[in-house]
Amino acid sequence: MTSPWGGDRPFTAVVTGAGSGIGLALAAQLRERGAELVLADVDRAAVLGAAERLGATAVVADVADPEAVEQLAEQASGARFVCLNAGIVGPSVGAPWEVPAAEWDRVFAVNVAGVVNGLRAFVPRLLGAAEPAHVLVTASLAGMTVFPGGGAYGPSKHAVAAVVAHAAMALEGTPVGIGMICPALVATGMSPVGADPADVAREALRAVDDGVFAVVPPEWRAAVVDQLATVAAGGRPTPPAPAG
Ligand SMILES: NC(=O)c1ccc[n+]([C@@H]2O[C@H](COP(=O)([O-])OP(=O)(O)OC[C@H]3O[C@@H](n4cnc5c(N)ncnc54)[C@H](O)[C@@H]3O)[C@@H](O)[C@H]2O)c1
């Protein structure tokens, strides 16, 4: 297990997209675990409010901007736990050709380049520190299997999951761990219905404790495997459904 905590060693944690939803819940629970927090969000009011509530440092940053993320990493140079969580859904939820080009660009810039910018800024620093550290990426169930429609969001989350898997292989044998959470619907600014973000955050941190690479809701695991098996055998994908 590679974990930045353990014992009473203080540690600094960074959370992107910390102004709301899953990011805010991760921040609150990392605070309970004793982390000094550096919270980042593109929404100034949201990140200032979260930071005030949690006694954290607030950074207004757009994760799609590599320089802003580099500055965030510089500001949080002692960080040993990095949550690359910020993400968006575009307004289009139809088939790929129905999504405007600018929307493809923005969703991929935030969801995919946002994670890549985070890895480029933080991983070399974490490796340089040569201490246990962890990167936790918020992917999505939509990056594990293909749902009908979904606009640019699902494809972007598949790219995120692939980036995290590549990074995991590259970090094998180092003190820097990486993993991802792949939640189904969560009740946040992004969705009016779904799981409680506090539960998602709790399970995410427990997964880090347990050395679990990917957190996929148990009721969806068979559907993820079945769709992939169908495609690997030459079949067309059909909409996945949860077990039970
Ligand atoms: N809510 C769901 O159903 C669900 C399911 C699976 C995965 N996710 C993922 O969880 C992550 C968090 O989303 P959430 O559900 O908490 O939504 P949310 O809208 O409540 O929170 C997202 C936060 O990210 C911030 N953000 C957006 N773009 C940003 C940018 N370019 N730079 C920095 N911050 C930015 C927003 O201002 C907001 O505070 C996202 O990556 C999302 O794709 C959400």
Side-chain angles (χ1 to χ4, degrees):
M1 178 187 76
T2 311
S3 169
W5 49 73
D8 48 14
R9 198 162 55 88
F11 68 103
T12 298
V14 177
V15 182
T16 68
S20 170
I22 298 169
L24 182 57
L26 283 168
Q29 292 180 28
L30 285 163
R31 187 84 193 92
E32 283 172 19
R33 288 184 180 228
E36 293 292 325
L37 294 173
V38 179
L39 306 183
D41 204 291
V42 73
D43 183 332
R44 172 181 295 274
V47 74
L48 289 178
E52 190 174 326
R53 238 183 71 193
L54 297 172
T57 301
V59 177
V60 180
D62 180 346
V63 297
D65 176 356
E67 279 179 23
V69 181
E70 181 62 28
Q71 280 171 22
L72 171 66
E74 192 58 46
Q75 209 168 329
S77 59
R80 297 291 174 266
F81 194 85
V82 180
C83 298
L84 302 177
N85 164 80
I88 56 168
V89 190
S92 308
V93 290
W97 59 89
E98 294 169 346
V99 179
E103 193 178 318
W104 275 103
D105 286 349
R106 184 61 186 161
V107 170
F108 268 67
V110 175
N111 293 2
V112 186
V115 170
V116 173
N117 290 338
L119 295 178
R120 292 184 68 249
F122 283 98
V123 171
R125 288 177 165 89
L126 298 178
L127 289 170
E131 289 175 8
H134 198 85
V135 180
L136 178 68
V137 177
T138 305
S140 173
L141 182 63
M144 291 282 106
T145 186
V146 176
F147 290 90
Y153 182 78
S156 78
K157 289 296 183 174
H158 277 263
V160 169
V163 167
V164 177
H166 278 280
M169 286 186 188
L171 288 169
E172 187 65 39
T174 77
V176 181
I178 188 165
M180 60 182 166
I181 55 172
C182 307
L185 287 177
V186 186
T188 65
M190 199 176 272
S191 165
V193 296
D196 184 336
D199 292 339
V200 173
R202 197 170 301 110
E203 202 181 340
L205 297 188
R206 199 180 305 132
V208 177
D209 290 333
D210 295 344
V212 172
F213 171 64
V215 181
V216 177
E219 68 276 19
W220 283 99
R221 288 176 195 164
V224 169
V225 172
D226 287 351
Q227 193 185 68
L228 205 53
T230 300
V231 173
R236 287 165 190 259
T238 53

